[in-house]
Every structure is written in structure tokens, then in C-alpha cells.
Amino acid sequence: QFKLVESGGGLVQPGGSLRLSCAPSDQFTRHNYAIGWFRQASGKEREGVACISGSGGMTNYVDSVKGRFTISRDNTKGTVSLQMNSLKPEDTATYYCAADPTIINGCRRGPSYVFTSWGQGTEVTVSS
């Protein structure tokens, strides 16, 4: 089983953009699992933000990020990205990616207990 590593977090002003990346810790690992991006703000439960199917043909977003976030993947590199635009203070959280080995076609944003290969997370702070 492989581990995933998130990167790309940071401090950004409201209205700004960040691009998060999720990749296997072993650069040679390739997989076609569905991937979910989650976030957890301080004092709040973990929330499934977006997901993408193994082929990349299906995506799903939580309502609060629709039209602002875009999930994509490059299976030749084994990476999944989350482009975040028009960021708001309420997007502040630690963002995690994880693999869903239970679904063949499609993706889902939860429940989180079906997901594996969790990374350590990357922090996103939206503040002026």
C-alpha cells in the first residue's frame, strides 16, 4: 500500500488562488484509484471537498466550492491536483488527499473511513 503526499498549501489573501498537489510518496508508483480531497478546519469535522474517478472522467464537489475549485489528475505522473480559486476565509483548513479502493467507476466524497493512503495534509490559510 502506498502513501500519498500533499503539497501546495500556504497563506493567501481572500480572492486569491492556490493549487494543491497529491502524489504517491514513491515517485514511481502509479495507480488508478479514485481520489478524494478533504479538509478539516480547527474545531470542525473533516469534510469531503472534491473527488475524481480513476479515469478522471467523473468529479464531484461539495456545494461550497462548486465553481471555485477544480480537481484534475495526470495518471502518467500519478498526481491529482486541486485548483482553488476565489478563496475565502472559510476555506482555511488543513487539506488532505486519500485514495478510495472500494469504487471502480466514479468517485465519492465520503465516508472518510473507506479511504486509505492518507497524507499528512497541507495547510491552507486564507487571510488578509
Side-chain angles (χ1 to χ4, degrees):
Q1 186 173 4
F2 57 92
K3 293 289 290 183
L4 293 169
V5 178
E6 304 92 343
S7 61
L11 172 64
V12 63
Q13 292 185 343
S17 298
L18 282 174
R19 186 176 182 87
L20 306 184
S21 181
C22 170
S25 57
D26 175 356
Q27 64 176 328
F28 299 106
T29 295
R30 297 293 182 266
H31 66 88
N32 60 353
Y33 291 133
I35 294 292
W37 276 101
F38 298 80
R39 66 185 179 188
Q40 188 164 20
S42 179
K44 296 188 176 181
E45 292 187 356
R46 186 172 295 183
E47 173 186 43
V49 175
C51 68
I52 188 166
S53 62
S55 67
M58 181 178 293
T59 59
N60 186 270
Y61 301 89
V62 68
D63 285 347
S64 60
V65 308
K66 284 181 179 177
R68 300 189 298 122
F69 290 13
T70 302
I71 190 171
S72 61
R73 69 189 298 155
D74 183 343
N75 283 345
T76 65
K77 299 179 180 179
T79 58
V80 174
S81 298
L82 185 68
Q83 178 66 43
M84 306 188 297
N85 299 326
S86 302
L87 283 161
K88 304 175 180 180
E90 50 264 43
D91 295 317
T92 295
T94 301
Y95 284 72
Y96 304 88
C97 65
D100 183 357
T102 66
I103 192 166
I104 303 300
N105 295 308
C107 74
R108 52 185 170 176
R109 293 182 286 105
S112 60
Y113 63 78
V114 305
F115 286 80
T116 64
S117 304
W118 291 87
Q120 294 299 307
T122 185
E123 292 192 16
V124 172
T125 303
V126 185
S127 175
S128 54

